[in-house]
Amino acid sequence: GQNIDQPTEMTATEGAIVQINCTYQTSGFNGLFWYQQHAGEAPTFLSYNVLDGLEEKGRFSSFLSRSKGYSYLLLKELQMKDSASYLCAPEGGAGSYQLTFGKGTKLSVIP
Amino acid sequence: DADVTQTPRNRITKTGKRIMLECSQTKGHDRMYWYRQDPGLGLRLIYYSFDVKDINKGEISDGYSVSRQAQAKFSLSLESAIPNQTALYFCATSDETSGRGDTQYFGPGTRLTVL
């Protein structure tokens, strides 16, 4: 089975840095996705990690530790438009490419 | 034009009615998925299809059925809608690309209310 844990809500100030953590326990594992979802809208792809370490993409970075079942999403220079839910989604292994989504972390960016 | 489209975008229906939600894609992807999203529960997989002749149940398939009419079309049916099927429904597509996993691309969603 799959178990994914991420904080329900976070609040951060415009211009600051925020780290959203995700721990997971899965029966198989290929890699881990992060998606962004604004209220009432579709999730959109942010990042995919398959190897251990940090992947940087502009203001957003994502980290993965396969041995610890741990990932985080780092958002720098926060902007108001970053207010959204962030979904952690491990990808299954053994030929299964199913994603299992965490419940999401709702980030509120305040002035 | 959007790559993944869903119709209708909003639907209000009554208990016991049959409802069909439709999904079309122009991305040329083989894999298609149906999810529902409920507050506090996140996205949950209902059904998925890896090609036209392949249909698989997801985590919560009871009360739902699907049809893959073509590579580009994947429909979700509620044979007899009940109030706890009130949710936001998303269709998604994917095409495994080396080095990027099986990135899924989502449609805009259908908000379904069952009274």
Side-chain angles (χ1 to χ4, degrees):
Chain A
Q2 316 278 50
N3 186 34
I4 304 161
D5 190 34
Q6 53 180 128
T8 304
E9 295 186 23
M10 298 182 72
T11 301
T13 305
E14 192 175 14
I17 299 172
V18 70
Q19 179 174 312
I20 301 174
N21 296 322
C22 172
T23 58
Y24 62 91
Q25 293 176 313
T26 59
S27 55
F29 184 78
N30 288 332
L32 189 139
F33 287 88
W34 284 95
Y35 279 79
Q36 180 189 59
Q37 186 179 23
H38 287 98
E41 297 183 9
T44 56
F45 169 81
L46 281 180
S47 67
Y48 176 69
N49 291 68
V50 61
L51 300 175
D52 285 357
L54 188 67
E55 295 265 351
E56 298 187 71
K57 190 188 298 184
R59 294 192 298 116
F60 292 7
S61 302
S62 55
F63 172 85
L64 176 67
S65 169
R66 298 174 69 109
S67 62
K68 295 182 179 178
Y70 169 67
S71 175
Y72 67 73
L73 182 68
L74 191 70
L75 292 75
K76 304 176 185 176
E77 301 170 15
L78 281 172
Q79 301 176 9
M80 300 299 290
K81 68 179 181 180
D82 297 329
S83 293
S85 289
Y86 292 87
L87 313 180
C88 170
E91 181 182 43
S96 165
Y97 294 96
Q98 284 188 48
L99 299 187
T100 302
F101 286 86
K103 296 178 181 179
T105 298
K106 184 178 179 181
L107 174 67
S108 298
V109 179
I110 58 176
Chain B
D1 289 338
D3 294 321
V4 185
T5 57
Q6 293 183 233
T7 55
R9 294 293 313 279
N10 289 280
R11 181 71 184 270
I12 299 173
T13 191
K14 295 182 178 179
T15 297
K17 294 291 187 181
R18 184 178 187 276
I19 297 297
M20 180 180 284
L21 309 183
E22 299 192 5
C23 177
S24 295
Q25 54 115 346
T26 58
K27 299 183 78 68
H29 289 172
D30 287 327
R31 299 174 181 172
M32 298 187 73
Y33 309 79
W34 275 105
Y35 292 90
R36 66 177 280 176
Q37 188 172 40
D38 301 270
L41 294 179
L43 280 162
R44 292 181 293 166
L45 183 64
I46 306 172
Y47 270 95
Y48 63 101
S49 170
F50 280 1
D51 65 43
V52 174
K53 296 181 180 180
D54 176 76
I55 302 288
N56 304 280
K57 292 182 178 180
E59 178 187 355
I60 52 161
S61 59
D62 288 350
Y64 301 95
S65 62
V66 291
S67 173
R68 185 81 185 266
Q69 301 96 322
Q71 186 204 36
K73 296 184 182 294
F74 193 36
S75 300
L76 177 72
S77 294
L78 288 68
E79 296 301 325
S80 180
I82 56 176
N84 78 0
Q85 291 177 314
T86 293
L88 184 56
Y89 289 83
F90 287 104
C91 173
T93 74
S94 72
D95 188 12
E96 198 272 338
T97 301
S98 178
R100 287 197 56 186
D102 199 34
T103 304
Q104 293 188 17
Y105 300 88
F106 287 80
T110 294
R111 187 167 295 281
L112 176 66
T113 303
V114 183
L115 302 176

